[in-house]
Amino acid sequence: MKPSHIEHIGIAVADLKAAVKFYESILGVKCYNIEEIADQKVNTAFFKIGQTKIELLQSTDPEGPVGKFIEKKGEGIHHLAFAVENIEEHLSDAEKKGIKLIDSVPRKGAEGLDIAFLHPKSTSGVLIEFCEDKKK
Ligand code: CMX
């Protein structure tokens, strides 16, 4: 039971349109998807680099998780997402190891993936996400 790869790196940005333009210019790769995740209060933009994606996150609400993050720490790397098989098993294993979960039950994230976060207070300050594509 281990992740297959880094599914995406989430980056908090203040201005999604400007950030998309910047990443397109430095990577030479086009943004292939822009999607709002209403329950997370974010707009997202995706780039694919090999198997891994860059997920730009702009808050739609200053009280949302990304809005609060930018207010406190400024723009920058927000979370690291690992692609797993059997996300429920990964969550129960983390819980057994005493790691605090934000989501004990997976929920739907961008691109139809099942996602769940571990609390950064339990993970040396890095917000970690597990995600699984159940359509595969
Ligand atoms: N990385 C590292 N630390 C983080 C963090 C992050 N991304 N977000 C918050 N924190 C830290 C804060 O700095 C704060 O630390 P201190 O207590 O030392 O000051 C602590 O966590 C609590 O943060 P807070 O601002 O008071 O906010 P909340 O407790 O309300 O929420 C958290 C924190 C992590 C539970 C919340 O942001 C959350 O549920 N995040 C997961 C969901 C998420 O981020 N969704 C957006 C991504 C969209 C997607 O990819 O689907």
Side-chain angles (χ1 to χ4, degrees):
M1 192 188 73
K2 57 180 183 187
S4 56
H5 61 286
I6 294 176
E7 210 280 337
H8 66 267
I9 298 168
I11 300 175
V13 301
D15 179 339
L16 194 66
K17 215 169 150 190
V20 165
K21 221 167 150 186
F22 170 75
Y23 278 93
E24 284 184 340
S25 77
I26 57 155
L27 299 176
V29 173
K30 283 267 170 215
C31 166
Y32 71 90
N33 183 25
I34 292 197
E35 185 177 341
E36 181 176 6
I37 311 164
D39 82 311
Q40 292 293 296
K41 301 187 166 96
V42 286
N43 273 322
T44 59
F46 287 91
F47 296 84
K48 210 165 214 173
I49 314 290
Q51 265 191 299
T52 301
K53 301 166 192 162
I54 300 291
E55 180 188 54
L56 303 180
L57 304 152
Q58 179 184 18
S59 187
T60 55
D61 179 340
E63 287 308 309
V66 173
K68 283 165 76 177
F69 176 87
I70 289 188
E71 171 72 27
K72 210 164 195 174
K73 302 192 184 197
E75 295 179 288
I77 293 183
H78 180 261
H79 66 267
L80 196 53
F82 295 101
V84 298
E85 276 180 22
N86 200 339
I87 189 167
E88 292 81 3
E89 203 180 313
H90 279 266
L91 289 175
S92 83
D93 182 60
E95 198 164 31
K96 273 187 212 136
K97 290 174 176 154
I99 295 163
K100 187 174 168 195
L101 308 181
I102 293 173
D103 304 295
S104 51
V105 175
R107 56 197 156 88
K108 283 289 169 202
E111 307 197 309
L113 301 185
D114 284 34
I115 66 165
F117 287 93
L118 310 183
H119 201 288
K121 289 284 169 205
S122 286
T123 59
S124 312
V126 177
L127 179 60
I128 290 178
E129 176 184 338
F130 288 141
C131 50
E132 180 173 17
D133 189 350
K134 300 259 191 202
K135 302 182 294 301
K136 275 187 184 164

